[in-house]
Amino acid sequence: MSRPDYTNDDRFDGLFLQIAHQTQGIEPLLDTLFSFLRRKSDFFSPPGGGDIEKGSEAAIAKVNEVVKKHADIYLAGKRKEEEERLKKLRLKQKREAEAEAKKKQAAAAAAAAEKSKAENDGVIEMGEDGFDISSDEPSTKPAAAKVAAAAMPEPKSDTAPAAPKIEQNENDSKDDDKQEEEEEEDNSPPPIGNGGTIDGKYVWTQTLQELTINVPLPENTRGRDLNVIISKKHLKIGFAKTKQEFIVNDDLTKPIIVDDSLWTIEDGNRLVLTLQKSNQMEWWDAPCQTDEPKINIQKVQPENSNLSDLDGETRQTVEKMMFDQRQKALGLPTADEQKKLDILEKFKASHPEMDFSNAKIN
């Protein structure tokens, strides 16, 4: 029987997820693991009862070896993902170039046909008697008009049926113009972290693989204080003491992989949910079906969207959004409102002679 590949063994994911929920952090999780090794195994003991210092050094060397092995696996996976992304990008660019070449070829063919038609329009057609029968001179028009009148049926007096066609064409033209105007007016920037803010609920970001939801909580909230239920197509978030009341109770926009999704509390005031998408090749316009506003997925920019992976400026923006959400929930001023109040207080302190008791501050 061959030895299992433990570097990619997912049989114990459920157990480790439960431990992660309880420990609520990477360092406590690792402390739990090494505590077990220290108390229940001879991992730190020297072989054959030798020097205890050497035993500890051997244990540290083994940990570094295993960590490096998994770091190499992680980097190899990321390089492979990048290669796949570049491969798809090159294929897309190739197809776009081919389509552009075909478009130019068709335009050139149309121009050549138009030129040929223009040249043919200048050719004079001669009849049997030697006179020009293609001319539009008045002398030839009466005869042509008689022939046309004889060949065509008697026109009906009611010409109304033609009107709807014209009206429809006008309506189509207006609709096309309206759509073009809307597309031109959509100059909004790409969504921060490929997500957004759902007022009164949470701030969310996403990658192609997963969705991250940050829910503001009262200070010093613990895991046992919450009632979080994650299912394939539905999400519930509430407090344990009010089991029938939920911050979120809605169907998800798209299905997720429940076994690979988890939640944890960070800093004692923020619930972080990581939802693994079932289809990891599509973007979501919102976490839940009734969420508003929804983002424009055409403006999504592929990038890391975990809070710890964001660049400094984007992370500050997301943290500010989360702070404002928490302040609103507590009935307190947002960051911008607090800044205005601070400026006002400084102004009042600098001008004690002025009376602000009846002032209305917007």
Side-chain angles (χ1 to χ4, degrees):
M1 182 176 179
S2 60
R3 178 184 174 85
D5 179 14
Y6 289 108
T7 58
N8 290 295
D9 192 355
D10 60 359
R11 292 176 298 168
F12 307 107
D13 284 359
L15 175 62
F16 284 119
L17 286 173
Q18 291 295 327
I19 297 174
H21 287 166
Q22 295 294 323
T23 55
Q24 300 182 12
I26 295 299
E27 186 170 344
L29 176 63
L30 293 175
D31 282 339
T32 302
L33 174 60
F34 287 112
S35 172
F36 169 78
L37 292 175
R38 187 188 74 247
R39 293 178 295 102
K40 300 295 183 180
S41 75
D42 59 353
F43 181 68
F44 292 97
S45 300
D51 187 354
I52 58 173
E53 295 292 338
K54 291 183 177 180
S56 297
E57 291 175 0
I60 294 172
K62 176 56 69 174
V63 170
N64 290 336
E65 177 186 341
V66 174
V67 170
K68 185 179 185 306
K69 175 172 63 176
H70 283 273
D72 291 342
I73 294 173
Y74 171 81
L75 293 174
K78 287 297 181 182
R79 293 190 192 100
K80 185 176 181 182
E81 290 178 4
E82 181 65 13
E83 290 174 359
E84 290 294 329
R85 187 186 71 80
L86 293 175
K87 182 179 179 182
K88 290 179 180 179
L89 179 62
R90 286 192 291 268
L91 181 60
K92 180 181 178 182
Q93 291 174 342
K94 180 181 178 182
R95 289 175 178 172
E96 290 177 350
E98 291 175 350
E100 185 66 22
K102 289 181 180 179
K103 185 177 179 181
K104 290 181 179 179
Q105 186 177 1
E114 188 69 23
K115 182 178 180 181
S116 177
K117 180 180 178 182
E119 292 173 352
N120 290 336
D121 287 345
V123 176
I124 300 177
E125 299 180 13
M126 304 297 292
E128 293 180 356
D129 54 359
F131 289 97
D132 178 9
I133 63 174
S134 65
S135 174
D136 290 336
E137 292 297 322
S139 60
T140 64
K141 285 183 179 179
K146 290 181 181 179
V147 174
M152 294 178 63
E154 192 70 23
K156 293 183 180 180
S157 59
D158 184 8
T159 59
K165 183 176 181 181
I166 296 173
E167 183 179 351
Q168 180 66 34
N169 291 338
E170 291 177 353
N171 290 337
D172 291 344
S173 178
K174 290 179 180 179
D175 292 341
D176 292 341
D177 293 342
K178 183 177 180 181
Q179 183 176 359
E180 290 177 0
E181 290 177 1
E182 291 177 351
E183 291 177 355
E184 291 176 358
E185 291 174 358
D186 187 9
N187 296 322
S188 59
I192 297 174
N194 298 328
T197 301
I198 307 302
D199 286 336
K201 292 184 178 180
Y202 47 72
V203 176
W204 66 282
T205 58
Q206 66 173 320
T207 64
L208 272 175
Q209 293 76 30
E210 63 186 25
L211 197 79
T212 303
I213 298 176
N214 291 270
V215 184
L217 298 172
E219 293 293 337
N220 301 318
T221 301
R222 294 172 294 182
R224 65 186 181 186
D225 298 330
L226 297 179
N227 179 22
V228 181
I229 303 174
I230 302 174
S231 57
K232 184 177 181 180
K233 296 182 179 179
H234 198 86
L235 177 63
K236 289 184 179 181
I237 304 173
F239 291 96
K241 61 183 179 181
T242 55
K243 292 186 178 180
Q244 301 304 318
E245 297 180 9
F246 294 93
I247 302 172
V248 178
N249 185 8
D250 200 353
D251 289 332
L252 294 168
T253 300
K254 301 179 187 296
I256 63 171
I257 303 173
V258 178
D259 291 341
D260 293 341
S261 301
L262 57 91
W263 63 270
T264 186
I265 296 177
E266 295 188 4
D267 303 326
N269 60 10
R270 177 162 53 95
L271 169 65
V272 180
L273 298 98
T274 304
L275 307 180
Q276 200 75 15
K277 298 179 181 178
S278 290
N279 185 345
Q280 300 188 351
M281 293 300 293
E282 62 182 356
W283 298 102
W284 291 23
D285 57 7
C288 296
Q289 293 186 6
T290 61
D291 284 345
E292 293 292 343
K294 301 183 186 302
I295 66 168
N296 182 357
I297 60 175
Q298 300 299 324
K299 291 182 173 290
V300 164
Q301 295 180 331
E303 60 183 8
N304 291 331
S305 65
N306 288 330
L307 195 58
S308 59
D309 295 335
L310 298 174
D311 62 82
E313 183 178 354
T314 304
R315 178 169 181 170
Q316 287 180 359
T317 303
V318 173
E319 288 178 339
K320 179 180 177 297
M321 292 160 64
M322 290 165 50
F323 174 80
D324 289 345
Q325 283 276 57
R326 192 179 302 113
Q327 292 293 93
K328 288 180 181 178
L330 297 174
L332 299 174
T334 64
D336 292 336
E337 292 170 346
Q338 186 61 50
K339 186 176 181 180
K340 292 178 181 178
L341 291 173
D342 292 341
I343 294 173
L344 177 61
E345 289 299 323
K346 290 181 180 179
F347 184 80
K348 289 166 65 176
S350 302
H351 299 81
E353 73 280 1
M354 300 181 68
D355 182 12
F356 292 89
S357 59
N358 296 322
K360 294 182 179 180
I361 308 300
N362 294 326

